[in-house]
Amino acid sequence: MSIRIAVAQCAPALGAVKRNLDMHMKWIARAKTAGARLVVFPELSLTGYYLKDLAADVACAADDPQLLPIAEASRELDISAGFVERSADAKLHIAQGHWSGGKLVHIHRKVYLPTYGIFDDGRYFGPGDRFDTYRWAGGTTGVAICEDLWHVSTPYLYAAAGATIVLAPSASPGRGVAEGGDLGTAESCRLMDRFYASYLTVYVVYVNRVGHEDGIAFWGGSEIVAPDGTVAARAPEFDEDLLIGEIDPELVARERARNPLLRDEREDIVLRNIAGRLGLPFDRRD
Amino acid sequence: MTSGLARTGVIRPDPKDPSPLRIDEVLVRKMLVLFIRDEIAKARLRRAVVGVSGGVDSAVTVALATEALGPANVLGLFTPYRTSSGESHDHALDLSKKFGFALEEVPITEQVDAYFAGVKEKVDKVRVGNKMARERKSIEYDRSWPDGIVLGTSNKTELLLGYGTQFGDMACGINPVGDLYKTQLRELALSIGIPERIVRKPPTAELWEGQTDEGELGFTYAEADLVLYHMVDRRLRPAELVEHGFDAQLVTRIRELVRRNHYKRVMPLIAKLSLRTIGHDFLYPRDWEAD
């Protein structure tokens, strides 16, 4: 039985949480009308991305009352949305929550904070320290927020832990306009999505935003790539779009039967290799 | 647009190979139209004011603005000094007819001459040129009130070389063409229908008679753009460029212009005194809570 999901390729306003909440409600309603069981929003969808000092102003705890409308709306369908989380010890994190049945059921804190080029995440945020999978109606899932996905180990760890879906909420600035190719960033992202989907036999749900922040354009182009490497659905570049696609567990099973790379994966060798290099003890369990 | 890896081959720094500068004009046009539309809306404004000199940079800017906002929301200002050429005037008019925006002529001769009439010492022509550039910009800002934004027309080459007047032609609310080298801007110009006679004529600031950019700089835009592309975009060191066959004197001169004029590209320095200082550690985005 396949599960319908929706991707909200939207343009959040920078630092205007209330306005963004209203915007979320509209997309959630549209996703519900389209029969989706889950709607995924891009990175920092409730706050905007290039926050700078606004990060502290818009941060809230995961159980903050201002997120209640999202929790309430998740009684109708699951919602994955981004916000700035203030942890119990007052650190700021780029976070993606998954709300289901009226409750927050999972939260991922962005681990890899790009602090180079046009990015300055590390100045304003603290890193997450784990890649945990969780289960919802669509299957076992891992979240890779933007830069997280660029690190090969992230989707690898998720797939190894049993994930069949990788949600990749992003705020990817479009750049690279050389002749003879696609937008440079689009080319890289599509290569990544297809590669991970095919070789880890998972669904990659790439969720990018659109709009401008301080002159930087987010290019959209969200896509759902199936474990056989086909692009199941793709949103246009630069324009808002509600992208609808299906997650089919049968297809995951068929692809893994045909192409059992994950079954044959030797995590023990990976672990021994890394443990040895870092001088950590490693006992192989047989 | 094609998907997948359409580009093949390594980009090598080669003074005889200008191909790395080529751009996807369709994509760039789309991105710049969206940029103008979006950032003007975020500022809660609706009109654009562009100083139209008859040259290619302002031609591209005003054409993109017209596409983004509709011709009724774009005002072109032609601000001649007594040394300005009739050809520039014709070209500005051509653009207005072709793209449909209103063009107003506001001469600046009287006010500039009146100011310098009261100056006792001998005035260098650069001073007059700077004054003209700032006079023009003050008119653009005046005409932008209350619901317009002044669009910048300085390209990446000029900005990097510092070949412009600070708070004069370099001043603006937003700049759509500041990340395009002159060579790339010409390519874009042809693809969006700027007449060839405007694209191909020798670039000049027209601050004094006979002035041309390339004559004053001492090298061509084609040469400078390729050096800047490899130095800035591809992060090659000057010594590496020379190793690859670029002229050492040219590379040194360009690198020095970029360094010496950096002050023109940044906000004025503020003396740090308090616990939190604008520009140092009070860092809010400009699109703060903007739609």
Side-chain angles (χ1 to χ4, degrees):
Chain A
M1 240 329 248
S2 53
I3 290 244
R4 182 169 295 179
I5 64 164
V7 167
Q9 183 169 294
C10 54
L14 196 48
V17 177
K18 178 71 185 67
R19 216 181 309 152
N20 287 329
L21 262 173
D22 295 343
M23 181 265 287
H24 277 59
M25 293 305 145
K26 290 186 187 125
W27 288 90
I28 292 165
R30 286 177 62 194
K32 188 180 161 232
T33 307
R37 297 280 299 273
L38 164 72
V39 56
V40 192
F41 288 88
E43 177 179 16
L44 293 178
S45 58
L46 286 160
T47 62
Y49 179 65
Y50 279 110
L51 290 160
K52 299 189 174 182
D53 284 358
L54 275 167
D57 301 358
V58 300
C60 66
D63 59 359
D64 190 282
Q66 73 172 333
L67 298 175
L68 272 179
I70 299 281
E72 275 308 308
S74 76
R75 293 181 196 283
E76 307 268 1
L77 77 168
D78 286 24
I79 299 160
S80 171
F83 65 106
V84 178
E85 185 201 1
R86 180 179 281 114
S87 64
D89 56 350
K91 290 176 189 150
L92 302 187
H93 298 285
I94 294 175
Q96 187 84 6
H98 188 120
W99 286 265
S100 182
K103 289 198 302 279
L104 180 69
V105 295
H106 179 79
I107 192 159
H108 173 69
R109 295 171 175 170
K110 189 176 188 179
V111 171
Y112 293 109
L113 302 173
T115 308
Y116 57 82
I118 49 170
F119 303 106
D120 213 5
D121 283 9
R123 178 184 167 95
Y124 300 100
F125 300 102
D129 60 2
R130 62 195 57 226
F131 290 107
D132 290 337
T133 57
Y134 65 101
R135 280 194 64 79
W136 64 285
T140 302
T141 297
V143 176
I145 303 177
C146 208
E147 187 88 349
D148 286 343
L149 191 71
W150 290 66
H151 287 257
V152 178
S153 52
T154 307
Y156 172 83
L157 289 173
Y158 283 144
T164 55
I165 302 167
V166 174
L167 299 182
S170 299
S172 168
R175 57 211 189 276
V177 293
E179 182 188 58
D182 209 338
L183 182 69
T185 346
E187 208 172 84
S188 311
C189 289
R190 282 171 191 158
L191 178 66
M192 232 170 23
D193 297 344
R194 277 197 75 188
F195 175 79
Y196 293 143
S198 313
Y199 291 87
L200 298 169
T201 46
V202 294
Y203 274 94
V204 173
V205 182
Y206 178 74
V207 184
N208 192 18
R209 56 163 293 179
V210 291
H212 286 85
E213 286 181 359
D214 281 9
I216 291 175
F218 300 96
W219 62 277
S222 302
E223 60 181 5
I224 299 168
V225 185
D228 59 359
T230 55
V231 178
R234 181 181 284 164
E237 293 184 3
F238 300 108
D239 295 324
E240 288 193 323
D241 189 54
L242 184 74
L243 182 71
I244 303 291
E246 309 280 332
I247 299 278
D248 180 6
E250 301 293 330
L251 180 63
V252 177
R254 281 201 303 279
E255 277 307 302
R256 290 187 177 183
R258 186 182 71 78
N259 187 10
L261 290 169
L262 270 180
R263 182 198 67 192
D264 299 342
E265 179 63 26
R266 290 291 298 273
E267 288 178 78
D268 58 327
I269 297 178
V270 174
L271 196 52
R272 190 186 313 124
N273 189 302
I274 294 174
R277 207 165 41 74
L278 298 181
L280 301 170
F282 172 69
D283 297 314
R284 183 175 173 187
R285 284 170 298 163
D286 286 308
Chain B
M1 268 180 287
T2 54
S3 64
L5 295 166
R7 274 190 294 276
T8 52
V10 181
I11 297 174
R12 288 182 207 287
D14 177 351
K16 290 185 197 66
D17 180 14
S19 69
L21 285 166
R22 288 207 199 107
I23 52 167
D24 182 332
E25 304 96 342
V26 177
L27 176 60
V28 169
R29 176 186 192 163
K30 176 165 188 181
M31 288 180 77
L32 294 184
V33 165
L34 290 172
F35 164 82
I36 294 170
R37 201 178 285 155
D38 227 24
E39 292 293 1
I40 286 182
K42 278 177 193 286
R44 303 219 166 199
L45 301 171
R46 59 175 193 88
R47 289 187 310 122
V49 175
V50 187
V52 180
S53 67
V56 66
D57 299 344
S58 56
V60 168
T61 307
V62 78
L64 292 171
T66 305
E67 186 175 342
L69 309 169
N73 291 314
V74 178
L75 172 64
L77 287 174
F78 183 68
T79 50
Y81 185 66
R82 54 185 154 80
T83 52
S84 303
S85 77
E87 188 190 67
S88 302
H89 181 251
D90 295 345
H91 288 170
L93 266 181
D94 290 349
L95 291 166
S96 160
K97 279 188 201 129
K98 184 170 168 85
F99 294 100
F101 61 90
L103 184 74
E104 264 188 60
E105 186 170 333
V106 185
I108 59 165
T109 307
E110 267 183 44
Q111 56 266 50
V112 171
D113 287 355
Y115 169 74
F116 283 111
V119 175
K120 290 186 183 65
E121 72 273 17
K122 188 175 181 302
V123 176
D124 189 275
K125 62 183 175 183
V126 174
R127 259 181 81 183
V128 183
N130 283 337
K131 176 69 180 158
M132 283 160 59
R134 294 188 181 117
E135 199 60 45
R136 291 188 165 119
K137 197 57 72 170
S138 81
I139 293 166
E140 289 168 33
Y141 270 92
D142 175 57
R143 293 301 168 97
S144 72
W145 195 85
D147 56 353
I149 198 163
V150 174
L151 294 190
T153 59
S154 298
N155 62 57
K156 192 172 184 174
T157 315
E158 289 176 334
L159 289 172
L160 284 170
L161 297 175
Y163 190 65
T165 299
Q166 195 184 25
F167 309 118
D169 53 300
M170 291 175 98
C172 63
I174 58 170
N175 179 348
V177 296
D179 202 15
L180 290 168
Y181 289 112
K182 186 80 175 185
T183 311
Q184 299 173 323
L185 202 136
R186 282 180 178 139
E187 192 184 323
L188 179 66
L190 290 173
S191 83
I192 64 174
I194 306 297
E196 282 224 23
R197 58 187 179 282
I198 293 175
V199 180
R200 304 274 183 224
K201 68 182 174 181
T204 169
E206 280 203 316
L207 298 178
W208 53 86
E209 271 178 275
Q211 182 195 25
T212 65
D213 295 7
E214 292 173 334
E216 202 183 357
L217 288 164
F219 45 76
T220 67
Y221 276 115
E223 291 171 318
D225 287 353
L226 205 53
V227 169
L228 288 169
Y229 171 80
H230 289 295
M231 201 180 329
V232 175
D233 295 48
R234 315 271 319 167
R235 299 172 194 251
L236 267 80
R237 291 189 304 276
E240 290 175 290
L241 287 175
V242 175
E243 273 169 41
H244 282 92
F246 285 86
D247 180 74
Q249 266 190 314
L250 177 72
V251 171
T252 308
R253 175 153 155 71
I254 287 174
R255 197 262 172 200
E256 190 51 22
L257 283 170
V258 173
R259 186 198 65 77
R260 203 173 66 205
N261 289 319
H262 189 61
Y263 74 94
K264 294 187 184 179
R265 293 183 291 265
V266 294
M267 293 296 278
L269 298 182
I270 294 178
K272 170 88 183 158
L273 295 171
S274 72
L275 292 177
R276 208 165 176 210
T277 310
I278 297 156
H280 293 282
D281 44 16
F282 178 79
L283 298 173
Y284 280 81
R286 177 161 139 172
D287 286 346
W288 186 344
E289 288 188 36
D291 288 310

